[in-house]
């Protein structure tokens, strides 16, 4: 009955499509008729599955669907990812678009959605060995692509794939210069090594598949940080990498040390992410989004602006420095890094794939803004020096008497 009511409401709203486009069935725009109709289909599918599994006792083949249900958020994210991969087919096939060739309309859209759903469920149902092989293959492919980008930028200079405004300002996309090519190549290389090692070291871990997927996402988001064409895109990728890092550190939860490490890492990441968001907000309120292809020009524009009585460029630079301090575990926001020892060994290796050296990445990508603020450069230098001295003293300090030889 509930499903019928939802379907009837969808049909009634769709009848008003001549009045406004919001009453069309449109999945991308998430129009009300589409949402109601999707809910009705969900109810219908649930009834059918309940009748088959619970009432008729059909168990064969249900594990695949159960895998999707246990990873609902991941399944939701996988759909657009798979769709994006198929959207690249025209580029690979020399302009031929197999999906466009199929035509358009509700029926074609429904079959496409079912196909993408089946592909996502298949990926979710991969067992650990198959997932490990797929993860290593994906990492190898990313390394090959990164090396290709490095060769191109080394020979021909910077490249980009960017959506621009009418005045040639970047809206979204990716760009890479020679330094960016080196960064993404090193990141992809470390990611491949970690995937290969983790596929063996976590072979008997029941959460191995989760780790391998998160490691891939962390590598991809870190590469995006190094190649984002806009500051807003960089911030989005940065936050994703923070969330994935926190999830990886807590891989062994509910083991108490892993939970404590995850909480500590989460709070320290929150400090850095908040500072990075604040820097973006200051830029948006003064000059708009920063085009990472022309940071020097935007730094000059920021230098001429003020916000709340302070120099905009100095404010942004100091906030970027704070974000880097938190990500790179510099004093005084450094205690989260030793606690990551509670995570599996591959996490420690993955931290060096552009994660824990995030301060350096920000310094490189926003170098004209840093250079415009003596205070930000001073803060970064002093905190880096203090961290090095603290690490040196800590390395030379004797073990506490309470720590026995086995714990050492």
């Amino acid at each position: 009955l509930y499903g019928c009511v939802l379907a009837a409401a969808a049909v009634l709203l769709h009848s008003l499509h001549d009045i406004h486009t919001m009453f069309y069935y449109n999945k991308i725009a998430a129009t009300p008729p589409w949402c109601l109709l999707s809910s009705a289909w969900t109810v219908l599918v649930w009834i059918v599955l309940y009748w088959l599994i619970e009432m008729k006792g059909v168990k064969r083949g249900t594990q695949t669907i159960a895998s999707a249900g246990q990873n609902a958020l991941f399944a939701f994210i996988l759909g657009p990812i798979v769709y994006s991969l198929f959207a690249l087919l025209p580029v690979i096939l020399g302009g031929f678009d197999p999906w466009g060739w199929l035509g358009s309309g509700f029926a074609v859209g429904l079959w496409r959605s079912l196909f993408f759903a089946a592909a996502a469920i298949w990926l979710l149902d991969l067992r650990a060995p198959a997932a490990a092989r797929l993860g290593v293959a994906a990492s190898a492919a990313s390394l090959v692509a990164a090396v290709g980008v490095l060769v191109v930028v080394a020979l021909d200079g910077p490249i980009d794939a960017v959506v621009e405004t009418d005045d040639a300002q970047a809206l979204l996309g990716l760009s890479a210069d020679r330094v960016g090519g080196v960064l993404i190549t090193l990141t992809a290389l470390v990611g491949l090594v970690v995937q290969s090692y983790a596929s063996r070291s976590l072979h008997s871990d029941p959460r191995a598949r989760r780790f391998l997927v998160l490691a891939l996402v962390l590598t991809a988001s870190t590469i995006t940080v190094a190649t984002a064409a806009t500051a807003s895109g960089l911030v989005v990728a940065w936050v994703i990498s923070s969330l994935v890092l926190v999830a990886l550190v807590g891989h062994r939860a509910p083991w108490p040390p892993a939970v404590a490490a995850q909480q500590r890492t989460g709070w320290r990441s929150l400090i850095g992410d908040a500072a990075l968001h604040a820097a973006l907000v200051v830029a948006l309120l003064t000059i708009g989004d920063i085009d990472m292809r022309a940071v020097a020009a935007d730094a000059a524009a920021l230098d001429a602006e003020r916000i709340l009585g302070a120099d905009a460029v100095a404010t942004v630079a100091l906030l970027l420095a704070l974000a880097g301090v938190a990500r790179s575990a510099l004093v005084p926001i450094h205690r989260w890094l030793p606690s990551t020892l509670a995570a599996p060994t591959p996490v420690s290796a993955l931290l060096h794939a552009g994660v824990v050296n995030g301060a350096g990445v920000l310094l490189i990508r926003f170098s004209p803004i840093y250079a415009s603020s003596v205070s930000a450069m001073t803060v970064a230098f002093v905190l880096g020096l203090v961290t090095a001295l603290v690490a040196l003293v800590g390395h030379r300090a004797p073990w506490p008497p309470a720590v026995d030889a086995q714990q050492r």
Side-chain angles (χ1 to χ4, degrees):
L1 178 61
Y2 178 61
C4 292
V5 171
L6 291 173
V11 172
L12 289 175
L13 286 177
H14 177 66
S15 64
L16 303 175
H17 64 272
D18 292 332
I19 300 176
H20 197 279
T21 56
M22 68 176 292
F23 297 114
Y24 278 98
Y25 292 122
N26 193 315
K27 177 183 177 181
I28 297 177
T31 57
W34 172 260
C35 294
L36 290 170
L37 188 62
S38 300
S39 301
W41 276 108
T42 302
V43 172
L44 175 62
V45 171
W46 183 87
I47 291 174
V48 172
L49 292 176
Y50 179 82
W51 179 76
L52 289 173
I53 298 172
E54 299 296 336
M55 299 184 67
K56 294 298 182 180
V58 177
K59 302 296 183 182
R60 185 176 181 180
T62 58
Q63 181 57 41
T64 300
I65 300 175
S67 298
Q70 294 167 359
N71 301 275
L73 180 59
F74 188 36
F76 180 78
I77 297 174
L78 267 179
I81 293 176
V82 174
Y83 180 80
S84 299
L85 293 176
F86 279 100
L88 293 174
L89 286 177
V91 179
I92 299 173
L93 300 177
F96 174 67
D97 182 7
W99 299 114
W101 176 78
L102 290 175
S104 59
F106 178 79
V108 174
L110 178 61
W111 282 111
R112 286 179 181 173
S113 298
L114 291 175
F115 177 82
F116 292 139
I121 291 174
W122 175 79
L123 289 173
L124 288 168
D125 194 43
L126 286 176
R127 298 299 183 262
R133 290 191 296 270
L134 184 61
V136 172
S139 297
S142 68
L143 177 59
V144 172
V147 171
V149 171
L150 178 60
V151 172
V152 171
V153 297
L155 297 176
D156 300 330
I159 59 174
D160 59 50
V162 178
V163 177
E164 297 179 335
T165 61
D166 294 335
D167 56 353
Q169 289 292 315
L171 282 176
L172 56 90
L174 303 174
S175 65
D177 54 14
R178 291 181 174 88
V179 176
V182 173
L183 286 175
I184 65 174
T185 300
L186 292 175
T187 301
L189 176 60
V190 175
L192 174 59
V193 173
V194 170
Q195 282 285 334
S196 179
Y197 174 71
S199 65
R200 298 189 299 272
S201 66
L202 301 177
H203 180 72
S204 59
D205 192 325
R207 307 180 76 188
R209 185 177 61 175
R210 172 185 179 273
F211 180 93
L212 296 170
V213 171
L214 289 176
L216 279 175
V217 175
L218 183 59
T219 303
S221 59
T222 305
I223 289 175
T224 306
V225 168
T227 58
T230 61
S232 57
L234 185 150
V235 170
V236 171
W238 183 280
V239 172
I240 292 174
S241 65
S242 295
L243 294 174
V244 176
L245 174 61
V246 172
L248 285 172
V249 170
H251 179 78
R252 289 174 173 160
W255 185 41
V259 174
Q262 186 178 42
Q263 293 174 348
R264 179 172 291 178
T265 303
W267 282 110
R268 301 311 187 272
S269 297
L270 182 61
I271 295 173
D273 293 359
L276 193 60
H277 276 90
L280 177 62
V281 169
V282 172
L284 292 174
L285 292 176
T286 52
I287 64 169
D289 204 355
I290 298 175
D291 191 333
M292 301 304 296
R293 302 170 301 172
V295 181
D298 288 336
L302 272 174
D303 199 18
E305 299 288 340
R306 299 184 67 83
I307 184 166
L308 299 178
D311 291 336
V313 68
T315 302
V316 171
L318 286 170
L319 289 170
L320 290 173
L322 177 57
V325 166
R327 176 59 67 89
S328 294
L330 301 183
V331 174
I333 314 176
H334 64 290
R335 294 188 177 276
W336 69 267
L337 186 56
S339 67
T340 59
L341 291 174
T345 302
V347 174
S348 298
L350 201 57
L351 284 173
H352 295 85
V355 179
V356 77
N357 43 13
V361 175
L362 289 181
L363 182 61
I364 292 172
R365 301 224 65 195
F366 292 98
S367 55
I369 294 178
Y370 276 105
S372 301
S373 173
V374 176
S375 57
M377 293 293 290
T378 303
V379 168
F381 174 78
V382 170
L383 292 182
L385 178 61
V386 171
T387 302
L389 293 175
V390 170
L392 178 62
V393 173
H395 176 71
R396 290 179 173 272
W399 285 90
V403 180
D404 57 26
Q406 183 178 2
Q407 287 174 315
R408 296 182 192 181

